[in-house]
Amino acid sequence: MTGKVTITDIARLAGVSKATVSRVLNRKPDVDPETRARVQQIIDEQGFVPNLVATVQAGGRSRFVGMLVQSLTWPLIHEVMQGVAEIIENSDYELILYNITHTSDRATTIDRVFAKNLTSGILAVFPGQSVQYLETLADQGHPIVVIDDQGKPTRAPWVGADNRSGSRDAVRHLLNLGHRRIAHIQGPAKYACSWERYQGYCDALAEANISLDPRLIRVGDFEAPSGYTCAQALLGLSDPPTAVYAGSDLMAYGFIQYAEDHGVRIPHDVALIGFDDILASAHTRPALTTVRQPFYEMGRRGIELLLSLIENPVSPAARQLARRSDPTRIVPRIEFETRLVIRESCGAERHTPAI
Amino acid sequence: MTGKVTITDIARLAGVSKATVSRVLNRKPDVDPETRARVQQIIDEQGFVPNLVATVQAGGRSRFVGMLVQSLTWPLIHEVMQGVAEIIENSDYELILYNITHTSDRATTIDRVFAKNLTSGILAVFPGQSVQYLETLADQGHPIVVIDDQGKPTRAPWVGADNRSGSRDAVRHLLNLGHRRIAHIQGPAKYACSWERYQGYCDALAEANISLDPRLIRVGDFEAPSGYTCAQALLGLSDPPTAVYAGSDLMAYGFIQYAEDHGVRIPHDVALIGFDDILASAHTRPALTTVRQPFYEMGRRGIELLLSLIENPVSPAARQLARRSDPTRIVPRIEFETRLVIRESCGAERHTPAI
DNA sequence: TTGTATGCGTTATCAC
DNA sequence: GTGATAACGCATACAA
């Protein structure tokens, strides 16, 4: 019985035309209060709910925003989603989740997203390769926001974090604790963030006039097992590092695991700092000192930005105009500062609550 | 440019009718291979993507499933979602997330979900009050699956866990460790699961011929602060319990916090067991012994069940028939066993990895 | 203020 | 095998 009653039924029952029903549905001003009341009553009586699909098809607003993610099973997504959900739950929009992994053709997936007006806009979280196509769409005036720690799209509104300075802070902290042989476990070269974090590492060492030792720089894949492997390599050195800065928390986890398996004490024998501050990092043993990416806030600000873009669309003319002068004025960019969260693994003791 | 080119354009370019284009789009058999190839080529050339909204509006399949949740910000949701995502990513369906909190009228939200065919089915996760309306819809033949630990809907397909026996196992474990004064921190009375877990507690004590001590039974609200408060009450007793079984991990966290704040050692001074096994429970100090609800698996099986319901709809006649004889044959129910995860807080020592 | 008519882009039902 | 054409349910420009 759900969608059985249509606007036509209401119109008939109320003795008016479909157009008038549509008007009260959309709260148009130009309708007699008396008529409005009568129609509204019928609507309530019948429990009539407008067919969303037909509404959109006819050119109405959909109140859907699409959230495009690489993979829902990636842990960091959840923190972002928390922030997004917080805002969405207090708006009258709903979320459509798309993942781009299982479709061979990314553009097709994204096109389907925008099929007519089903979604009013897209929040793309760590979109990877798709970012180029998204930029094109953003350029055409589609409301799109990219949350990414891998790179900074030039033509699409962007929310991200400052990897380089966060990285620098982490290594500076180790330097301040007296370490001189500091290793770095890099992320994959294909990600811009790997490079940025590596740069931050170099920056800090340069400040301290310490030259890079290639043997102290290993490449992982951001996942825990690669941290384990790199730990093996680093701790097997004739002159092993006294501190390690891992490019991701997961790789740091792998490092911890190796240390535990081989009786290496953290931070006593070797200090350790990670990057991301995912949820579990407060609960590892020892608790992980790490660079916090404010994923929750990024989610919040990302979706807020998107909603504002939807509500206040930039006219094609204005966009055209802006492109010729100052592109940054029309392409919002929000870069969050990262924050070093000092726990136990770096050797700077502090009280840490159990939870 | 996104959805600009329509089926009409393709038809014109290929020199055929819209109907034929639609046929190749939907892989209908009755179309000349040569024609098919020609049309397909135009489609590819133009990068034509069918308008999803129009497709649905015209009666086509949508490939969307709705996931209805109380609040996206509730931590347990994520584990369920992991399972759901795992399956969804390997299907050709997409997920629409609805939360029922922010709309006053639940039925309206749900009706919008089913607006025509936008979503082919609904997975309702901990739907709370809405379950009644969902049952009505399921009764009408809509593909609906309810994942719930609060109660067992009678007329809708259901996936859940066996609270009572899980609870019994936990308390039995404490009894086996020699405890006789075992307290219980209940969940709110309005949830069926609170009652079921309490029943399991009673079962185990009855088995051991231990009579209930009302002072050892406290009511919380499933959240951490209430666990803190109850800890205060329980540990302030003249003859405090030697073990505590909390109805949720979060309440157990509150208990741990209180213990830490007041120098009470767990499990040395008092043993503790929780319920849920949310992610952080492996990382508390001490690591929490708890009853694991297989949320991930529940998500998996729930969405699998839903998809199968969508792909193999039960005809109204068959449903009518079944209702008269054996309702359970037509209403699938999957009840997962819970599992006691023994860590440190119960006092039965075991090696626990760092991660 | 209200009604009429048309369009949205696709699928489905007929004919041919 | 293929082509008209009528739905689908609503919004909207235009007419009254």
Side-chain angles (χ1 to χ4, degrees):
Chain A
M1 249 25 132
T2 308
K4 224 40 187 289
V5 42
T6 75
I7 197 175
T8 309
D9 301 323
I10 304 297
R12 186 168 33 75
L13 261 41
V16 297
S17 72
K18 297 194 299 180
T20 299
V21 178
S22 177
R23 286 186 184 104
V24 342
L25 245 29
N26 296 300
R27 294 177 169 64
K28 302 283 182 185
D30 52 349
V31 44
D32 187 287
E34 209 169 298
T35 313
R36 182 191 301 278
R38 184 156 40 93
V39 172
Q40 187 61 53
Q41 190 189 341
I42 305 285
I43 290 177
D44 294 341
E45 280 176 15
Q46 299 294 320
F48 167 65
V49 177
N51 180 323
L52 214 161
V53 173
T55 303
V56 172
Q57 165 83 327
R61 294 282 292 275
S62 76
R63 309 267 113 176
F64 280 120
V65 294
M67 182 165 160
L68 198 69
V69 302
Q70 287 248 27
S71 168
L72 284 172
T73 49
W74 189 32
L76 296 184
I77 286 292
H78 290 321
E79 269 192 76
V80 177
M81 194 127 73
Q82 290 274 358
V84 172
E86 178 87 22
I87 302 298
I88 285 291
E89 289 185 0
N90 293 306
S91 76
D92 57 346
Y93 282 85
E94 308 284 356
L95 218 52
I96 301 189
L97 245 38
Y98 296 91
N99 30 21
I100 27 187
T101 49
H102 72 275
T103 308
S104 49
D105 187 355
R106 301 161 196 285
T108 301
T109 302
I110 299 176
D111 281 344
R112 289 179 70 89
V113 173
F114 272 119
K116 194 62 198 277
N117 294 317
L118 216 207
T119 53
S120 315
I122 284 192
L123 180 69
V125 184
F126 314 123
Q129 318 295 336
S130 310
V131 74
Q132 292 174 18
Y133 187 63
L134 290 168
E135 284 190 271
T136 307
L137 291 176
D139 228 18
Q140 291 168 8
H142 284 106
I144 289 183
V145 171
V146 175
I147 294 183
D148 204 350
D149 60 357
Q150 296 181 7
K152 301 176 179 52
T154 51
R155 290 140 58 210
W158 172 82
V159 174
D162 186 346
N163 284 293
R164 186 162 179 169
S165 72
S167 205
R168 195 162 41 211
D169 291 345
V171 179
R172 274 182 187 156
H173 180 69
L174 291 171
L175 289 165
N176 288 339
L177 291 174
H179 294 282
R180 286 300 173 269
R181 285 190 64 72
I182 302 174
H184 178 45
I185 304 179
Q186 272 188 293
K190 62 178 172 179
Y191 297 127
C193 62
S194 303
W195 176 252
E196 291 172 6
R197 290 172 198 174
Y198 170 70
Q199 284 299 311
Y201 165 78
C202 296
D203 290 350
L205 291 188
E207 286 172 1
N209 289 314
I210 297 176
S211 56
L212 295 178
D213 181 346
R215 292 176 307 156
L216 294 186
I217 297 168
R218 303 282 161 168
V219 180
D221 63 0
F222 278 148
E223 303 292 327
S226 71
Y228 194 96
T229 311
C230 292
Q232 191 165 23
L234 289 169
L235 297 178
L237 251 33
S238 57
D239 46 353
T242 64
V244 173
Y245 163 55
S248 77
D249 280 3
L250 287 177
M251 295 195 295
Y253 291 2
F255 193 96
I256 293 177
Q257 189 69 54
Y258 180 88
E260 179 161 320
D261 290 353
H262 295 79
V264 176
R265 289 162 300 172
I266 300 175
H268 185 274
D269 300 331
V270 58
L272 178 66
I273 295 186
F275 199 106
D276 282 340
D277 194 24
I278 61 183
L279 277 172
S281 296
H283 306 292
T284 54
R285 306 184 179 195
L288 187 65
T289 292
T290 185
V291 179
R292 170 164 176 70
Q293 292 210 68
F295 290 118
Y296 175 83
E297 290 79 1
M298 287 159 67
R300 279 184 66 102
R301 293 301 299 275
I303 195 72
E304 279 178 351
L305 178 56
L306 179 60
L307 293 184
S308 78
L309 250 39
I310 292 171
E311 306 285 354
N312 314 305
V314 177
S315 72
R319 191 169 46 252
Q320 189 71 12
L321 208 68
R323 199 169 348 192
R324 291 164 199 271
S325 52
D326 180 7
T328 58
R329 278 186 47 203
I330 203 92
V331 179
R333 326 174 63 66
I334 303 176
E335 183 163 41
F336 280 94
E337 286 304 305
T338 54
R339 186 168 59 81
L340 184 64
V341 179
I342 299 174
R343 298 203 179 91
E344 300 165 351
S345 67
C346 62
E349 293 296 339
R350 240 180 50 139
H351 171 80
T352 310
I355 306 164
Chain B
M1 251 25 134
T2 309
K4 223 42 188 288
V5 41
T6 74
I7 197 174
T8 310
D9 301 322
I10 304 297
R12 185 167 34 73
L13 261 40
V16 297
S17 71
K18 298 194 299 180
T20 299
V21 178
S22 177
R23 287 187 184 102
V24 341
L25 245 29
N26 296 299
R27 293 176 170 64
K28 303 281 184 187
D30 53 349
V31 45
D32 188 288
E34 209 170 297
T35 312
R36 181 190 302 278
R38 184 157 40 93
V39 172
Q40 187 61 53
Q41 191 189 341
I42 306 285
I43 291 177
D44 294 341
E45 279 176 15
Q46 300 294 319
F48 167 65
V49 177
N51 181 323
L52 216 161
V53 174
T55 302
V56 172
Q57 166 81 326
R61 295 280 293 275
S62 76
R63 308 268 113 175
F64 280 118
V65 293
M67 182 164 161
L68 198 69
V69 302
Q70 287 250 27
S71 168
L72 284 172
T73 49
W74 188 33
L76 296 183
I77 286 291
H78 290 322
E79 267 192 78
V80 177
M81 193 126 74
Q82 289 274 359
V84 173
E86 178 89 21
I87 302 298
I88 284 291
E89 288 185 1
N90 293 307
S91 76
D92 58 346
Y93 282 84
E94 308 284 355
L95 217 53
I96 301 189
L97 244 38
Y98 297 92
N99 29 21
I100 28 188
T101 49
H102 72 276
T103 307
S104 50
D105 187 354
R106 301 160 196 285
T108 301
T109 302
I110 299 176
D111 281 344
R112 290 181 69 89
V113 173
F114 272 118
K116 194 62 198 283
N117 294 318
L118 215 207
T119 53
S120 315
I122 285 192
L123 180 69
V125 185
F126 314 124
Q129 318 296 337
S130 310
V131 74
Q132 293 174 18
Y133 187 64
L134 290 168
E135 283 190 271
T136 308
L137 291 176
D139 228 18
Q140 293 168 6
H142 284 107
I144 289 183
V145 171
V146 175
I147 295 183
D148 204 349
D149 60 355
Q150 296 181 6
K152 300 176 179 56
T154 51
R155 290 140 57 208
W158 172 82
V159 174
D162 187 346
N163 285 293
R164 186 162 178 168
S165 73
S167 204
R168 195 161 41 210
D169 291 345
V171 179
R172 274 183 187 154
H173 180 69
L174 291 172
L175 289 165
N176 288 340
L177 291 174
H179 294 282
R180 286 298 173 270
R181 283 190 64 71
I182 303 174
H184 178 45
I185 304 180
Q186 270 187 297
K190 61 178 173 180
Y191 297 127
C193 61
S194 303
W195 175 252
E196 290 172 7
R197 291 172 198 173
Y198 170 69
Q199 284 299 311
Y201 165 80
C202 296
D203 291 349
L205 291 188
E207 286 172 4
N209 289 315
I210 297 177
S211 56
L212 295 178
D213 180 346
R215 291 175 308 155
L216 294 186
I217 297 168
R218 303 283 161 168
V219 180
D221 62 1
F222 279 147
E223 304 292 327
S226 70
Y228 194 97
T229 310
C230 292
Q232 191 166 24
L234 289 168
L235 297 178
L237 250 34
S238 56
D239 46 353
T242 64
V244 173
Y245 163 54
S248 78
D249 280 4
L250 287 178
M251 294 195 296
Y253 291 0
F255 192 96
I256 292 176
Q257 189 68 56
Y258 180 88
E260 178 160 321
D261 289 353
H262 294 79
V264 176
R265 289 164 300 173
I266 300 175
H268 185 275
D269 300 331
V270 58
L272 179 66
I273 295 187
F275 199 106
D276 282 339
D277 193 25
I278 61 183
L279 277 172
S281 296
H283 306 292
T284 53
R285 306 183 180 196
L288 187 66
T289 293
T290 185
V291 179
R292 171 163 176 70
Q293 292 211 68
F295 289 118
Y296 175 83
E297 290 79 2
M298 287 160 68
R300 279 185 67 102
R301 295 300 299 276
I303 195 73
E304 280 178 351
L305 178 56
L306 180 60
L307 292 184
S308 78
L309 250 38
I310 291 171
E311 306 285 354
N312 315 305
V314 177
S315 72
R319 192 168 46 253
Q320 188 71 12
L321 208 68
R323 199 168 349 190
R324 292 164 198 269
S325 53
D326 180 7
T328 59
R329 278 184 49 202
I330 202 93
V331 179
R333 325 174 63 68
I334 303 177
E335 183 163 41
F336 280 93
E337 286 302 306
T338 54
R339 186 167 60 81
L340 184 64
V341 179
I342 298 173
R343 298 203 180 92
E344 299 164 351
S345 67
C346 63
E349 292 297 339
R350 240 180 50 141
H351 170 82
T352 311
I355 305 164

